[in-house]
Amino acid sequence: MNDRKKLSFTRVKTISDLFPILTRKSDSLNLLSLDVFQHHLQSLLTLRDENQESFLNFIHYVDEVFSTDYHPFIRYKLETILSAATYYHDFYNEICCLSAGELSVLANFSSSYPVEVYPEYLKMFPKPVLNVIENKTNDFMIRNDLMSFVSLSLEKGVSDSEVFEQLQLQSLSSLRRQSNLWQLDSVGGPVYDSRGVQL
């Protein structure tokens, strides 16, 4: 583990250890609707005992991968962890085959959406798609761009198999460029990367 990284959860050994951090950093979660936050929190509070060790491993994976030596990205970590708690609680049979990396891709992308869309996302982003995205880059924000590429391609009527082939064969820069162009088109304004640079 890189000691220079701004890790946030090194002292989290139990699920209960996470709650003081959630309390201290609650302001960073103000983009989540109250209903979504309460659902995630209830999922976390009632997580099955037999799934807690796996979930704790997931928390430490997110802490490591979402950290850099200059920024802890605490909001993204907490939103992803809370989203994953609901996947663990409500959809465990569907996500138990996913690696921590694959689940982090799905949970991070899902984190800003209502829980009602989670079943749809489980169908839209099967394990092979998540695996390709996980292995395409270690950057969690770029992974989100690739998820947007998949969802927007499907929305435009591209077949599942063609989207998967493009995801496998096209370069990372090409996939990101297309994804950002579509996102730009859908929001009607400029799109910025994690540094605030317009794409």
Side-chain angles (χ1 to χ4, degrees):
M1 184 176 292
N2 186 344
D3 291 335
R4 294 181 305 162
K5 283 191 172 185
K6 294 191 178 296
L7 300 177
S8 309
F9 307 122
T10 52
R11 297 183 180 179
V12 173
K13 308 299 182 187
T14 68
I15 299 298
S16 298
D17 294 338
L18 190 61
F19 293 116
I21 300 173
L22 281 168
T23 301
R24 287 198 309 272
K25 300 294 184 180
S26 60
D27 287 351
S28 68
L29 297 169
N30 58 6
L31 294 179
L32 290 181
S33 74
L34 183 59
D35 287 348
V36 170
F37 176 73
Q38 288 177 332
H39 189 111
H40 292 335
L41 196 59
Q42 187 62 27
S43 296
L44 196 59
L45 285 164
T46 55
L47 206 60
R48 291 172 182 258
D49 290 345
E50 60 267 29
N51 295 336
Q52 291 191 14
E53 183 178 353
S54 173
F55 188 74
L56 286 165
N57 290 335
F58 175 80
I59 289 173
H60 293 296
Y61 171 88
V62 169
D63 198 18
E64 173 72 19
V65 172
F66 285 40
S67 293
T68 68
D69 57 2
Y70 63 90
H71 204 293
F73 292 108
I74 186 68
R75 175 171 72 87
Y76 296 101
K77 291 178 187 178
L78 289 175
E79 288 177 354
T80 300
I81 287 166
L82 287 170
S83 174
T86 289
Y87 275 113
Y88 259 82
H89 185 274
D90 295 3
F91 308 101
Y92 184 73
N93 288 339
E94 288 83 353
I95 61 94
C96 62
C97 64
L98 300 180
S99 69
E102 291 160 356
L103 179 59
S104 75
V105 174
L106 178 63
N108 181 34
F109 184 76
S110 306
S111 63
S112 59
Y113 293 96
V115 175
E116 288 74 19
V117 303
Y118 284 24
E120 179 185 343
Y121 283 171
L122 285 165
K123 294 176 183 176
M124 185 182 294
F125 305 110
K127 180 179 175 67
V129 168
L130 297 172
N131 182 260
V132 170
I133 292 174
E134 179 195 1
N135 287 299
K136 205 91 175 177
T137 175
N138 288 327
D139 187 309
F140 72 94
M141 289 187 171
I142 296 177
R143 288 175 174 180
N144 236 19
D145 283 341
L146 299 182
M147 291 288 277
S148 292
F149 171 82
V150 173
S151 65
L152 292 169
S153 294
L154 294 172
E155 189 179 297
K156 292 178 180 298
V158 183
S159 68
D160 292 353
S161 58
E162 188 174 347
V163 172
F164 186 60
E165 184 177 353
Q166 290 175 1
L167 197 61
Q168 287 180 299
L169 299 180
Q170 289 187 23
S171 68
L172 185 60
S173 59
S174 175
L175 291 165
R176 286 194 74 203
R177 190 178 302 111
Q178 184 60 68
S179 174
N180 285 312
L181 284 171
W182 282 338
Q183 290 177 67
L184 176 65
D185 186 54
S186 66
V187 301
V191 176
Y192 298 89
D193 70 9
S194 59
R195 301 162 299 168
V197 176
Q198 186 172 335
L199 298 167

